[in-house]
Amino acid sequence: MIDILMKAPLFQYVSSEAISGFLEKIPYRIESYQEHDIVALQGAPCNHLMVVLKGLLQGQMVNDAGKLVVIEELTPSRLLAPAFLFAPKNELPVNIIAVEPSEILFISRTDFTEWMQSDKQVLQNFLMLISGRSSFLTDKIMFLSLKNIKNKIADYLLRHLSSPDASTVKLSDTQQEIADRFGVTRPSLARAFAEMEQEGIISIDRKTITINRLQQLRQIAK
């Protein structure tokens, strides 16, 4: 567990001895979840610092049209909803679902407050994380609300290029999974992909996407 926590931005520049020493003094707990388990529901109180130790989780939200939207994916060493731990209305903004068998470390808000008061590095790291969340949420709102489907596809493909000079993307997600990330229906996503292929911007061979017009794709992503 300490090895995972050492990789977390929250504990950057914090020694393993300091982490293990504090954990020995508090009644933390580790919970295990199976695939598709509900970790927490939107609106549940956020009274614990939650760190992913193992597996993969998703923050999911249902939009006004009743469509599932994947807000983010959470891998080991990531924190769950840290910005809401000390919020006036400290309720989870999304449903947290285990995508695969997972483990989460829970530390009470009171104990974590004591930790930050006793270790300025942990406090500074937490403040930097919270500041970074503002940028993430701004970008996510822009992505979900202001871009059309082709904008989202272009942005998605550019982010998944292995290098700036690469011209192919091997999709690891299904169309349904991509549609959930975009907050759109799968047929709408498929139509947009087909239109971009007809326009010559991309070529599709099953799960391999070849980008034929990189500059045009970058313009669409803006």
Side-chain angles (χ1 to χ4, degrees), residues 18 24-25 35 52 62 68 77 81 85-86 93 134 136 146 156 159 163 180 187-188 194 197 210:
E24 289 173 359
K25 298 187 295 184
E35 184 178 357
V52 182
V62 178
L68 174 69
S77 80
L85 183 58
F86 295 98
S134 299
F136 167 80
L146 301 181
Y156 177 87
R159 289 177 184 273
S163 72
D180 288 343
S188 296
E197 184 172 33
T210 301

Side-chain angles (χ1 to χ4, degrees), residues 58 61 63 67-71 140 143-144 149 152-153 156 171 173-193:
Q58 285 184 347
M61 185 179 289
N63 64 18
K67 183 73 179 67
L68 174 69
V69 181
V70 176
I71 302 300
K140 195 68 180 182
F143 181 80
L144 291 174
I149 300 178
K152 294 177 181 180
I153 290 174
Y156 177 87
L171 299 180
D173 300 317
T174 65
Q175 282 202 358
Q176 185 60 62
E177 289 170 335
I178 296 173
D180 288 343
R181 284 182 174 81
F182 291 2
V184 301
T185 64
R186 190 186 62 76
S188 296
L189 178 73
R191 280 195 300 271
F193 265 119

Side-chain angles (χ1 to χ4, degrees), residues 34-45:
Q34 297 304 310
E35 184 178 357
H36 304 311
D37 278 357
I38 298 174
V39 176
L41 292 173
Q42 180 179 346

Side-chain angles (χ1 to χ4, degrees), residues 84-150:
F84 294 86
L85 183 58
F86 295 98
K89 186 178 180 181
N90 61 320
E91 297 177 352
L92 289 174
V94 296
N95 299 319
I96 306 295
I97 309 296
V99 178
E100 58 186 50
S102 304
E103 291 183 355
I104 300 174
L105 168 69
F106 289 81
I107 299 174
S108 75
R109 182 171 56 189
T110 300
D111 289 331
F112 183 57
T113 299
E114 181 182 334
W115 196 345
M116 290 191 291
Q117 290 172 338
S118 65
D119 192 321
K120 290 184 178 179
Q121 186 63 60
V122 174
L123 173 60
Q124 181 177 326
N125 291 346
F126 186 72
L127 292 175
M128 290 181 65
L129 275 171
I130 297 304
S131 299
R133 296 300 293 175
S134 299
S135 298
F136 167 80
L137 292 172
T138 299
D139 291 344
K140 195 68 180 182
I141 290 170
M142 180 75 71
F143 181 80
L144 291 174
S145 302
L146 301 181
K147 291 187 174 183
N148 61 38
I149 300 178
K150 288 184 180 179

